[in-house]
mmCIF file of all heavy atoms in Angstrom:
data_model
loop_
_atom_site.group_PDB
_atom_site.id
_atom_site.type_symbol
_atom_site.label_atom_id
_atom_site.label_comp_id
_atom_site.label_asym_id
_atom_site.label_seq_id
_atom_site.Cartn_x
_atom_site.Cartn_y
_atom_site.Cartn_z
ATOM 1 N N MET A 1 25.459 40.310 145.213
ATOM 2 C CA MET A 1 25.737 41.474 146.000
ATOM 3 C C MET A 1 24.404 42.098 146.379
ATOM 4 O O MET A 1 23.472 42.128 145.580
ATOM 5 C CB MET A 1 26.588 42.462 145.226
ATOM 6 C CG MET A 1 26.980 43.635 146.044
ATOM 7 S SD MET A 1 28.275 44.632 145.301
ATOM 8 C CE MET A 1 27.366 45.525 144.100
ATOM 9 N N ARG A 2 24.363 42.599 147.624
ATOM 10 C CA ARG A 2 23.148 43.253 148.103
ATOM 11 C C ARG A 2 23.541 44.525 148.830
ATOM 12 O O ARG A 2 24.463 44.545 149.634
ATOM 13 C CB ARG A 2 22.419 42.314 149.054
ATOM 14 C CG ARG A 2 21.101 42.860 149.524
ATOM 15 C CD ARG A 2 20.408 41.880 150.400
ATOM 16 N NE ARG A 2 21.126 41.836 151.675
ATOM 17 C CZ ARG A 2 20.807 41.042 152.679
ATOM 18 N NH1 ARG A 2 19.825 40.206 152.555
ATOM 19 N NH2 ARG A 2 21.481 41.073 153.790
ATOM 20 N N GLU A 3 22.848 45.580 148.533
ATOM 21 C CA GLU A 3 23.076 46.870 149.184
ATOM 22 C C GLU A 3 21.969 47.072 150.205
ATOM 23 O O GLU A 3 20.801 46.813 149.932
ATOM 24 C CB GLU A 3 23.032 47.979 148.139
ATOM 25 C CG GLU A 3 23.348 49.339 148.681
ATOM 26 C CD GLU A 3 23.358 50.372 147.571
ATOM 27 O OE1 GLU A 3 23.696 50.009 146.437
ATOM 28 O OE2 GLU A 3 23.009 51.523 147.853
ATOM 29 N N GLN A 4 22.361 47.523 151.408
ATOM 30 C CA GLN A 4 21.375 47.713 152.466
ATOM 31 C C GLN A 4 21.851 48.808 153.408
ATOM 32 O O GLN A 4 23.011 48.831 153.800
ATOM 33 C CB GLN A 4 21.207 46.404 153.238
ATOM 34 C CG GLN A 4 20.210 46.456 154.341
ATOM 35 C CD GLN A 4 20.104 45.123 155.080
ATOM 36 O OE1 GLN A 4 20.907 44.220 154.867
ATOM 37 N NE2 GLN A 4 19.130 45.001 155.923
ATOM 38 N N ALA A 5 20.959 49.712 153.766
ATOM 39 C CA ALA A 5 21.273 50.748 154.755
ATOM 40 C C ALA A 5 20.747 50.276 156.106
ATOM 41 O O ALA A 5 19.604 49.824 156.208
ATOM 42 C CB ALA A 5 20.622 52.070 154.366
ATOM 43 N N VAL A 6 21.585 50.363 157.131
ATOM 44 C CA VAL A 6 21.202 49.916 158.468
ATOM 45 C C VAL A 6 21.631 50.941 159.503
ATOM 46 O O VAL A 6 22.493 51.773 159.248
ATOM 47 C CB VAL A 6 21.822 48.540 158.806
ATOM 48 C CG1 VAL A 6 21.283 47.455 157.903
ATOM 49 C CG2 VAL A 6 23.327 48.597 158.721
ATOM 50 N N VAL A 7 21.052 50.851 160.665
ATOM 51 C CA VAL A 7 21.408 51.721 161.783
ATOM 52 C C VAL A 7 22.184 50.877 162.788
ATOM 53 O O VAL A 7 21.786 49.766 163.119
ATOM 54 C CB VAL A 7 20.137 52.309 162.439
ATOM 55 C CG1 VAL A 7 20.505 53.126 163.661
ATOM 56 C CG2 VAL A 7 19.367 53.148 161.454
ATOM 57 N N GLY A 8 23.304 51.398 163.255
ATOM 58 C CA GLY A 8 24.106 50.678 164.245
ATOM 59 C C GLY A 8 25.490 50.375 163.719
ATOM 60 O O GLY A 8 25.899 50.866 162.670
ATOM 61 N N GLY A 9 26.201 49.551 164.449
ATOM 62 C CA GLY A 9 27.577 49.228 164.125
ATOM 63 C C GLY A 9 27.714 48.401 162.853
ATOM 64 O O GLY A 9 27.068 47.360 162.704
ATOM 65 N N ALA A 10 28.547 48.859 161.929
ATOM 66 C CA ALA A 10 28.725 48.176 160.647
ATOM 67 C C ALA A 10 29.307 46.777 160.826
ATOM 68 O O ALA A 10 28.897 45.835 160.143
ATOM 69 C CB ALA A 10 29.624 49.000 159.735
ATOM 70 N N GLY A 11 30.260 46.634 161.734
ATOM 71 C CA GLY A 11 30.869 45.326 161.962
ATOM 72 C C GLY A 11 29.855 44.294 162.392
ATOM 73 O O GLY A 11 29.827 43.168 161.880
ATOM 74 N N ARG A 12 28.992 44.673 163.310
ATOM 75 C CA ARG A 12 27.966 43.748 163.820
ATOM 76 C C ARG A 12 27.020 43.343 162.699
ATOM 77 O O ARG A 12 26.661 42.171 162.556
ATOM 78 C CB ARG A 12 27.195 44.410 164.958
ATOM 79 C CG ARG A 12 26.119 43.547 165.559
ATOM 80 C CD ARG A 12 25.515 44.173 166.804
ATOM 81 N NE ARG A 12 25.082 45.544 166.615
ATOM 82 C CZ ARG A 12 23.835 45.888 166.286
ATOM 83 N NH1 ARG A 12 22.909 44.971 166.128
ATOM 84 N NH2 ARG A 12 23.517 47.156 166.134
ATOM 85 N N HIS A 13 26.627 44.297 161.856
ATOM 86 C CA HIS A 13 25.721 43.990 160.750
ATOM 87 C C HIS A 13 26.397 43.102 159.704
ATOM 88 O O HIS A 13 25.766 42.196 159.161
ATOM 89 C CB HIS A 13 25.193 45.274 160.109
ATOM 90 C CG HIS A 13 24.197 45.990 160.960
ATOM 91 N ND1 HIS A 13 22.940 45.492 161.204
ATOM 92 C CD2 HIS A 13 24.275 47.152 161.641
ATOM 93 C CE1 HIS A 13 22.276 46.323 161.986
ATOM 94 N NE2 HIS A 13 23.077 47.345 162.270
ATOM 95 N N LEU A 14 27.660 43.333 159.414
ATOM 96 C CA LEU A 14 28.370 42.475 158.460
ATOM 97 C C LEU A 14 28.494 41.052 158.973
ATOM 98 O O LEU A 14 28.338 40.094 158.218
ATOM 99 C CB LEU A 14 29.763 43.030 158.167
ATOM 100 C CG LEU A 14 29.837 44.161 157.164
ATOM 101 C CD1 LEU A 14 31.266 44.683 157.068
ATOM 102 C CD2 LEU A 14 29.365 43.696 155.800
ATOM 103 N N VAL A 15 28.799 40.910 160.240
ATOM 104 C CA VAL A 15 28.911 39.568 160.827
ATOM 105 C C VAL A 15 27.572 38.844 160.717
ATOM 106 O O VAL A 15 27.511 37.672 160.342
ATOM 107 C CB VAL A 15 29.399 39.650 162.285
ATOM 108 C CG1 VAL A 15 29.253 38.314 162.990
ATOM 109 C CG2 VAL A 15 30.843 40.127 162.325
ATOM 110 N N HIS A 16 26.491 39.541 161.023
ATOM 111 C CA HIS A 16 25.159 38.934 160.919
ATOM 112 C C HIS A 16 24.860 38.553 159.466
ATOM 113 O O HIS A 16 24.377 37.448 159.189
ATOM 114 C CB HIS A 16 24.099 39.894 161.460
ATOM 115 C CG HIS A 16 22.713 39.363 161.349
ATOM 116 N ND1 HIS A 16 22.240 38.352 162.162
ATOM 117 C CD2 HIS A 16 21.707 39.670 160.504
ATOM 118 C CE1 HIS A 16 20.995 38.076 161.828
ATOM 119 N NE2 HIS A 16 20.650 38.864 160.825
ATOM 120 N N ALA A 17 25.141 39.445 158.525
ATOM 121 C CA ALA A 17 24.873 39.183 157.109
ATOM 122 C C ALA A 17 25.742 38.058 156.562
ATOM 123 O O ALA A 17 25.361 37.376 155.609
ATOM 124 C CB ALA A 17 25.081 40.457 156.295
ATOM 125 N N SER A 18 26.911 37.822 157.158
ATOM 126 C CA SER A 18 27.821 36.793 156.662
ATOM 127 C C SER A 18 27.263 35.387 156.823
ATOM 128 O O SER A 18 27.725 34.455 156.173
ATOM 129 C CB SER A 18 29.178 36.890 157.372
ATOM 130 O OG SER A 18 29.116 36.378 158.696
ATOM 131 N N ARG A 19 26.252 35.225 157.649
ATOM 132 C CA ARG A 19 25.650 33.894 157.848
ATOM 133 C C ARG A 19 25.053 33.346 156.564
ATOM 134 O O ARG A 19 25.019 32.138 156.358
ATOM 135 C CB ARG A 19 24.588 33.959 158.937
ATOM 136 C CG ARG A 19 25.152 34.283 160.286
ATOM 137 C CD ARG A 19 24.068 34.393 161.322
ATOM 138 N NE ARG A 19 24.628 34.899 162.572
ATOM 139 C CZ ARG A 19 23.939 35.568 163.461
ATOM 140 N NH1 ARG A 19 22.657 35.804 163.275
ATOM 141 N NH2 ARG A 19 24.523 35.994 164.558
ATOM 142 N N ASP A 20 24.557 34.234 155.711
ATOM 143 C CA ASP A 20 23.934 33.819 154.453
ATOM 144 C C ASP A 20 24.781 34.188 153.238
ATOM 145 O O ASP A 20 24.287 34.145 152.111
ATOM 146 C CB ASP A 20 22.557 34.485 154.314
ATOM 147 C CG ASP A 20 21.606 34.073 155.415
ATOM 148 O OD1 ASP A 20 21.655 32.904 155.843
ATOM 149 O OD2 ASP A 20 20.820 34.926 155.862
ATOM 150 N N ALA A 21 26.040 34.538 153.450
ATOM 151 C CA ALA A 21 26.893 35.029 152.359
ATOM 152 C C ALA A 21 27.911 33.988 151.930
ATOM 153 O O ALA A 21 28.330 33.143 152.716
ATOM 154 C CB ALA A 21 27.615 36.297 152.802
ATOM 155 N N ALA A 22 28.313 34.071 150.669
ATOM 156 C CA ALA A 22 29.408 33.240 150.172
ATOM 157 C C ALA A 22 30.747 33.904 150.468
ATOM 158 O O ALA A 22 31.764 33.235 150.631
ATOM 159 C CB ALA A 22 29.261 33.015 148.671
ATOM 160 N N ARG A 23 30.743 35.247 150.576
ATOM 161 C CA ARG A 23 31.972 35.998 150.820
ATOM 162 C C ARG A 23 31.596 37.374 151.352
ATOM 163 O O ARG A 23 30.579 37.939 150.981
ATOM 164 C CB ARG A 23 32.743 36.147 149.512
ATOM 165 C CG ARG A 23 34.042 36.880 149.604
ATOM 166 C CD ARG A 23 34.786 36.912 148.271
ATOM 167 N NE ARG A 23 35.006 35.555 147.765
ATOM 168 C CZ ARG A 23 34.441 35.060 146.669
ATOM 169 N NH1 ARG A 23 33.634 35.788 145.949
ATOM 170 N NH2 ARG A 23 34.684 33.828 146.284
ATOM 171 N N VAL A 24 32.444 37.908 152.215
ATOM 172 C CA VAL A 24 32.285 39.275 152.732
ATOM 173 C C VAL A 24 33.450 40.096 152.201
ATOM 174 O O VAL A 24 34.606 39.693 152.341
ATOM 175 C CB VAL A 24 32.282 39.305 154.276
ATOM 176 C CG1 VAL A 24 32.209 40.727 154.790
ATOM 177 C CG2 VAL A 24 31.143 38.467 154.833
ATOM 178 N N VAL A 25 33.148 41.224 151.567
ATOM 179 C CA VAL A 25 34.187 42.097 151.029
ATOM 180 C C VAL A 25 34.097 43.438 151.745
ATOM 181 O O VAL A 25 33.030 44.050 151.778
ATOM 182 C CB VAL A 25 34.030 42.298 149.507
ATOM 183 C CG1 VAL A 25 35.109 43.222 148.974
ATOM 184 C CG2 VAL A 25 34.057 40.956 148.793
ATOM 185 N N VAL A 26 35.203 43.863 152.341
ATOM 186 C CA VAL A 26 35.266 45.163 153.005
ATOM 187 C C VAL A 26 36.436 45.939 152.419
ATOM 188 O O VAL A 26 37.429 45.367 151.988
ATOM 189 C CB VAL A 26 35.413 45.043 154.542
ATOM 190 C CG1 VAL A 26 34.171 44.467 155.156
ATOM 191 C CG2 VAL A 26 36.608 44.209 154.928
ATOM 192 N N GLY A 27 36.315 47.242 152.407
ATOM 193 C CA GLY A 27 37.374 48.095 151.900
ATOM 194 C C GLY A 27 38.175 48.706 153.037
ATOM 195 O O GLY A 27 37.734 48.756 154.180
ATOM 196 N N ARG A 28 39.372 49.135 152.709
ATOM 197 C CA ARG A 28 40.188 49.883 153.663
ATOM 198 C C ARG A 28 40.986 50.910 152.882
ATOM 199 O O ARG A 28 41.296 50.713 151.705
ATOM 200 C CB ARG A 28 41.108 48.985 154.470
ATOM 201 C CG ARG A 28 42.282 48.432 153.694
ATOM 202 C CD ARG A 28 43.332 47.884 154.638
ATOM 203 N NE ARG A 28 44.450 47.343 153.909
ATOM 204 C CZ ARG A 28 45.476 48.047 153.460
ATOM 205 N NH1 ARG A 28 45.530 49.340 153.648
ATOM 206 N NH2 ARG A 28 46.463 47.472 152.810
ATOM 207 N N LYS A 29 41.287 52.023 153.524
ATOM 208 C CA LYS A 29 42.091 53.054 152.868
ATOM 209 C C LYS A 29 43.484 52.518 152.599
ATOM 210 O O LYS A 29 44.067 51.811 153.419
ATOM 211 C CB LYS A 29 42.168 54.299 153.741
ATOM 212 C CG LYS A 29 40.865 55.044 153.802
ATOM 213 C CD LYS A 29 41.029 56.336 154.537
ATOM 214 C CE LYS A 29 39.723 57.089 154.553
ATOM 215 N NZ LYS A 29 39.835 58.367 155.227
ATOM 216 N N ASN A 30 44.014 52.843 151.446
ATOM 217 C CA ASN A 30 45.348 52.413 151.045
ATOM 218 C C ASN A 30 46.357 53.388 151.642
ATOM 219 O O ASN A 30 46.692 54.398 151.035
ATOM 220 C CB ASN A 30 45.453 52.361 149.522
ATOM 221 C CG ASN A 30 46.692 51.639 149.069
ATOM 222 O OD1 ASN A 30 47.371 50.999 149.860
ATOM 223 N ND2 ASN A 30 46.982 51.738 147.792
ATOM 224 N N ARG A 31 46.832 53.104 152.833
ATOM 225 C CA ARG A 31 47.792 53.979 153.515
ATOM 226 C C ARG A 31 49.202 53.569 153.138
ATOM 227 O O ARG A 31 49.567 52.412 153.224
ATOM 228 C CB ARG A 31 47.604 53.873 155.021
ATOM 229 C CG ARG A 31 46.252 54.343 155.456
ATOM 230 C CD ARG A 31 46.136 54.306 156.972
ATOM 231 N NE ARG A 31 44.811 54.736 157.357
ATOM 232 C CZ ARG A 31 44.014 54.060 158.144
ATOM 233 N NH1 ARG A 31 44.417 52.931 158.662
ATOM 234 N NH2 ARG A 31 42.828 54.508 158.434
ATOM 235 N N ARG A 32 49.986 54.526 152.771
ATOM 236 C CA ARG A 32 51.379 54.252 152.413
ATOM 237 C C ARG A 32 52.245 54.542 153.636
ATOM 238 O O ARG A 32 52.765 55.625 153.808
ATOM 239 C CB ARG A 32 51.786 55.106 151.229
ATOM 240 C CG ARG A 32 50.861 54.912 150.052
ATOM 241 C CD ARG A 32 51.473 55.329 148.756
ATOM 242 N NE ARG A 32 50.512 55.392 147.684
ATOM 243 C CZ ARG A 32 49.995 54.328 147.067
ATOM 244 N NH1 ARG A 32 50.333 53.138 147.469
ATOM 245 N NH2 ARG A 32 49.141 54.465 146.087
ATOM 246 N N SER A 33 52.342 53.529 154.484
ATOM 247 C CA SER A 33 53.054 53.686 155.739
ATOM 248 C C SER A 33 54.123 52.610 155.869
ATOM 249 O O SER A 33 53.928 51.475 155.440
ATOM 250 C CB SER A 33 52.053 53.571 156.904
ATOM 251 O OG SER A 33 52.728 53.461 158.123
ATOM 252 N N SER A 34 55.231 52.957 156.472
ATOM 253 C CA SER A 34 56.287 51.971 156.687
ATOM 254 C C SER A 34 55.901 50.977 157.772
ATOM 255 O O SER A 34 56.533 49.940 157.918
ATOM 256 C CB SER A 34 57.582 52.677 157.073
ATOM 257 O OG SER A 34 57.402 53.388 158.291
ATOM 258 N N ALA A 35 54.859 51.268 158.525
ATOM 259 C CA ALA A 35 54.414 50.374 159.597
ATOM 260 C C ALA A 35 53.585 49.208 159.068
ATOM 261 O O ALA A 35 53.179 48.343 159.823
ATOM 262 C CB ALA A 35 53.600 51.162 160.630
ATOM 263 N N GLY A 36 53.289 49.191 157.763
ATOM 264 C CA GLY A 36 52.496 48.110 157.193
ATOM 265 C C GLY A 36 51.038 48.488 157.105
ATOM 266 O O GLY A 36 50.611 49.532 157.552
ATOM 267 N N GLY A 37 50.258 47.601 156.522
ATOM 268 C CA GLY A 37 48.835 47.860 156.351
ATOM 269 C C GLY A 37 48.069 47.648 157.640
ATOM 270 O O GLY A 37 48.345 46.726 158.399
ATOM 271 N N HIS A 38 47.137 48.503 157.877
ATOM 272 C CA HIS A 38 46.298 48.384 159.066
ATOM 273 C C HIS A 38 44.846 48.272 158.617
ATOM 274 O O HIS A 38 44.439 48.916 157.659
ATOM 275 C CB HIS A 38 46.457 49.612 159.971
ATOM 276 C CG HIS A 38 47.821 49.743 160.529
ATOM 277 N ND1 HIS A 38 48.277 48.978 161.559
ATOM 278 C CD2 HIS A 38 48.851 50.543 160.175
ATOM 279 C CE1 HIS A 38 49.520 49.317 161.839
ATOM 280 N NE2 HIS A 38 49.896 50.257 161.002
ATOM 281 N N ILE A 39 44.094 47.460 159.317
ATOM 282 C CA ILE A 39 42.669 47.377 159.032
ATOM 283 C C ILE A 39 41.922 48.105 160.130
ATOM 284 O O ILE A 39 42.407 48.244 161.245
ATOM 285 C CB ILE A 39 42.186 45.924 158.906
ATOM 286 C CG1 ILE A 39 42.388 45.145 160.211
ATOM 287 C CG2 ILE A 39 42.870 45.229 157.743
ATOM 288 C CD1 ILE A 39 41.748 43.782 160.219
ATOM 289 N N GLY A 40 40.747 48.552 159.812
ATOM 290 C CA GLY A 40 39.935 49.270 160.779
ATOM 291 C C GLY A 40 39.051 48.336 161.583
ATOM 292 O O GLY A 40 39.096 47.109 161.428
ATOM 293 N N PRO A 41 38.227 48.898 162.432
ATOM 294 C CA PRO A 41 37.392 48.085 163.322
ATOM 295 C C PRO A 41 36.345 47.256 162.596
ATOM 296 O O PRO A 41 35.999 46.157 163.050
ATOM 297 C CB PRO A 41 36.743 49.117 164.241
ATOM 298 C CG PRO A 41 36.875 50.421 163.548
ATOM 299 C CD PRO A 41 38.088 50.328 162.688
ATOM 300 N N VAL A 42 35.851 47.715 161.454
ATOM 301 C CA VAL A 42 34.842 46.941 160.716
ATOM 302 C C VAL A 42 35.477 45.695 160.111
ATOM 303 O O VAL A 42 34.966 44.585 160.253
ATOM 304 C CB VAL A 42 34.164 47.813 159.638
ATOM 305 C CG1 VAL A 42 33.228 46.979 158.786
ATOM 306 C CG2 VAL A 42 33.417 48.969 160.294
ATOM 307 N N ALA A 43 36.609 45.868 159.423
ATOM 308 C CA ALA A 43 37.307 44.718 158.849
ATOM 309 C C ALA A 43 37.776 43.763 159.948
ATOM 310 O O ALA A 43 37.702 42.546 159.791
ATOM 311 C CB ALA A 43 38.496 45.186 158.010
ATOM 312 N N HIS A 44 38.213 44.294 161.047
ATOM 313 C CA HIS A 44 38.657 43.460 162.163
ATOM 314 C C HIS A 44 37.505 42.606 162.689
ATOM 315 O O HIS A 44 37.666 41.401 162.932
ATOM 316 C CB HIS A 44 39.222 44.339 163.278
ATOM 317 C CG HIS A 44 39.864 43.558 164.368
ATOM 318 N ND1 HIS A 44 39.153 42.979 165.388
ATOM 319 C CD2 HIS A 44 41.151 43.239 164.596
ATOM 320 C CE1 HIS A 44 39.967 42.350 166.200
ATOM 321 N NE2 HIS A 44 41.196 42.489 165.743
ATOM 322 N N ALA A 45 36.335 43.196 162.860
ATOM 323 C CA ALA A 45 35.166 42.444 163.325
ATOM 324 C C ALA A 45 34.806 41.348 162.332
ATOM 325 O O ALA A 45 34.487 40.219 162.728
ATOM 326 C CB ALA A 45 33.982 43.383 163.538
ATOM 327 N N ALA A 46 34.870 41.670 161.040
ATOM 328 C CA ALA A 46 34.559 40.670 160.025
ATOM 329 C C ALA A 46 35.551 39.519 160.077
ATOM 330 O O ALA A 46 35.154 38.345 160.045
ATOM 331 C CB ALA A 46 34.546 41.313 158.640
ATOM 332 N N PHE A 47 36.844 39.819 160.174
ATOM 333 C CA PHE A 47 37.861 38.765 160.263
ATOM 334 C C PHE A 47 37.642 37.866 161.476
ATOM 335 O O PHE A 47 37.796 36.663 161.410
ATOM 336 C CB PHE A 47 39.267 39.368 160.383
ATOM 337 C CG PHE A 47 39.952 39.557 159.066
ATOM 338 C CD1 PHE A 47 40.539 40.768 158.762
ATOM 339 C CD2 PHE A 47 40.035 38.544 158.136
ATOM 340 C CE1 PHE A 47 41.195 40.963 157.562
ATOM 341 C CE2 PHE A 47 40.678 38.722 156.932
ATOM 342 C CZ PHE A 47 41.253 39.944 156.645
ATOM 343 N N GLN A 48 37.306 38.459 162.583
ATOM 344 C CA GLN A 48 37.191 37.704 163.826
ATOM 345 C C GLN A 48 35.913 36.877 163.929
ATOM 346 O O GLN A 48 35.925 35.807 164.533
ATOM 347 C CB GLN A 48 37.263 38.655 165.025
ATOM 348 C CG GLN A 48 38.602 39.324 165.199
ATOM 349 C CD GLN A 48 39.685 38.321 165.542
ATOM 350 O OE1 GLN A 48 39.511 37.493 166.424
ATOM 351 N NE2 GLN A 48 40.792 38.384 164.841
ATOM 352 N N HIS A 49 34.815 37.364 163.348
ATOM 353 C CA HIS A 49 33.526 36.747 163.661
ATOM 354 C C HIS A 49 32.678 36.325 162.469
ATOM 355 O O HIS A 49 31.648 35.678 162.673
ATOM 356 C CB HIS A 49 32.706 37.717 164.523
ATOM 357 C CG HIS A 49 33.418 38.136 165.767
ATOM 358 N ND1 HIS A 49 33.624 37.282 166.833
ATOM 359 C CD2 HIS A 49 33.989 39.309 166.111
ATOM 360 C CE1 HIS A 49 34.286 37.923 167.773
ATOM 361 N NE2 HIS A 49 34.526 39.152 167.367
ATOM 362 N N ALA A 50 33.044 36.673 161.240
ATOM 363 C CA ALA A 50 32.204 36.345 160.087
ATOM 364 C C ALA A 50 32.172 34.842 159.842
ATOM 365 O O ALA A 50 33.157 34.135 160.065
ATOM 366 C CB ALA A 50 32.703 37.069 158.845
ATOM 367 N N SER A 51 31.039 34.373 159.363
ATOM 368 C CA SER A 51 30.863 32.957 159.039
ATOM 369 C C SER A 51 31.383 32.620 157.640
ATOM 370 O O SER A 51 31.606 31.465 157.334
ATOM 371 C CB SER A 51 29.376 32.597 159.100
ATOM 372 O OG SER A 51 28.874 32.825 160.392
ATOM 373 N N ALA A 52 31.555 33.634 156.806
ATOM 374 C CA ALA A 52 32.020 33.446 155.431
ATOM 375 C C ALA A 52 33.450 33.973 155.296
ATOM 376 O O ALA A 52 33.910 34.748 156.135
ATOM 377 C CB ALA A 52 31.096 34.207 154.470
ATOM 378 N N PRO A 53 34.159 33.562 154.250
ATOM 379 C CA PRO A 53 35.497 34.118 154.005
ATOM 380 C C PRO A 53 35.432 35.636 153.828
ATOM 381 O O PRO A 53 34.453 36.167 153.310
ATOM 382 C CB PRO A 53 35.935 33.450 152.705
ATOM 383 C CG PRO A 53 35.079 32.241 152.566
ATOM 384 C CD PRO A 53 33.789 32.572 153.243
ATOM 385 N N VAL A 54 36.494 36.317 154.248
ATOM 386 C CA VAL A 54 36.538 37.781 154.211
ATOM 387 C C VAL A 54 37.669 38.240 153.303
ATOM 388 O O VAL A 54 38.788 37.742 153.406
ATOM 389 C CB VAL A 54 36.751 38.370 155.622
ATOM 390 C CG1 VAL A 54 36.864 39.890 155.581
ATOM 391 C CG2 VAL A 54 35.627 37.948 156.560
ATOM 392 N N ALA A 55 37.357 39.171 152.401
ATOM 393 C CA ALA A 55 38.369 39.804 151.541
ATOM 394 C C ALA A 55 38.420 41.283 151.902
ATOM 395 O O ALA A 55 37.393 41.941 151.954
ATOM 396 C CB ALA A 55 38.001 39.629 150.070
ATOM 397 N N VAL A 56 39.640 41.778 152.159
ATOM 398 C CA VAL A 56 39.829 43.200 152.420
ATOM 399 C C VAL A 56 40.501 43.807 151.199
ATOM 400 O O VAL A 56 41.578 43.374 150.801
ATOM 401 C CB VAL A 56 40.696 43.424 153.681
ATOM 402 C CG1 VAL A 56 40.905 44.920 153.923
ATOM 403 C CG2 VAL A 56 40.045 42.790 154.901
ATOM 404 N N VAL A 57 39.840 44.809 150.613
ATOM 405 C CA VAL A 57 40.318 45.403 149.371
ATOM 406 C C VAL A 57 40.761 46.838 149.645
ATOM 407 O O VAL A 57 39.944 47.673 150.053
ATOM 408 C CB VAL A 57 39.199 45.396 148.312
ATOM 409 C CG1 VAL A 57 39.667 46.006 147.012
ATOM 410 C CG2 VAL A 57 38.696 43.971 148.102
ATOM 411 N N PRO A 58 42.048 47.147 149.427
ATOM 412 C CA PRO A 58 42.509 48.522 149.633
ATOM 413 C C PRO A 58 42.004 49.443 148.520
ATOM 414 O O PRO A 58 41.819 49.025 147.380
ATOM 415 C CB PRO A 58 44.025 48.416 149.590
ATOM 416 C CG PRO A 58 44.313 47.164 148.837
ATOM 417 C CD PRO A 58 43.130 46.258 149.048
ATOM 418 N N HIS A 59 41.751 50.683 148.887
ATOM 419 C CA HIS A 59 41.320 51.687 147.908
ATOM 420 C C HIS A 59 41.903 53.032 148.300
ATOM 421 O O HIS A 59 42.324 53.243 149.425
ATOM 422 C CB HIS A 59 39.791 51.767 147.826
ATOM 423 C CG HIS A 59 39.140 52.173 149.098
ATOM 424 N ND1 HIS A 59 38.991 53.485 149.471
ATOM 425 C CD2 HIS A 59 38.621 51.439 150.119
ATOM 426 C CE1 HIS A 59 38.390 53.537 150.657
ATOM 427 N NE2 HIS A 59 38.165 52.306 151.063
ATOM 428 N N ASP A 60 41.953 53.948 147.340
ATOM 429 C CA ASP A 60 42.470 55.304 147.601
ATOM 430 C C ASP A 60 41.376 56.206 148.062
ATOM 431 O O ASP A 60 40.241 56.060 147.857
ATOM 432 C CB ASP A 60 43.117 55.887 146.358
ATOM 433 C CG ASP A 60 44.436 55.169 146.063
ATOM 434 O OD1 ASP A 60 45.116 54.741 147.007
ATOM 435 O OD2 ASP A 60 44.759 55.040 144.866
#
């Protein structure tokens, strides 16, 4: 695991970092909605473009 502060879009930076990663882990708010779970734009970018497997972990 590596922590890094960057300027700019988080999704773009995660996709770039995924090139050298074994796994990308992103969090999402645990919404209790009848419409089902929704992911945000960062997790969506990671799912669509990351080079490594992506895990989305819900949190409160």
Side-chain angles (χ1 to χ4, degrees):
M1 184 167 78
R2 184 178 72 182
E3 184 177 329
Q4 181 181 9
V6 295
V7 176
R12 180 172 51 94
H13 287 291
L14 280 175
V15 168
H16 178 73
S18 75
R19 295 178 188 153
D20 298 324
R23 181 177 304 113
V24 176
V25 179
V26 293
R28 73 164 179 85
K29 289 187 178 181
N30 193 11
R31 297 184 181 127
R32 305 200 191 285
S33 169
S34 62
H38 295 283
I39 62 171
V42 174
H44 188 278
F47 268 131
Q48 293 294 312
H49 304 289
S51 299
V54 177
V56 179
V57 180
H59 62 84
D60 289 328

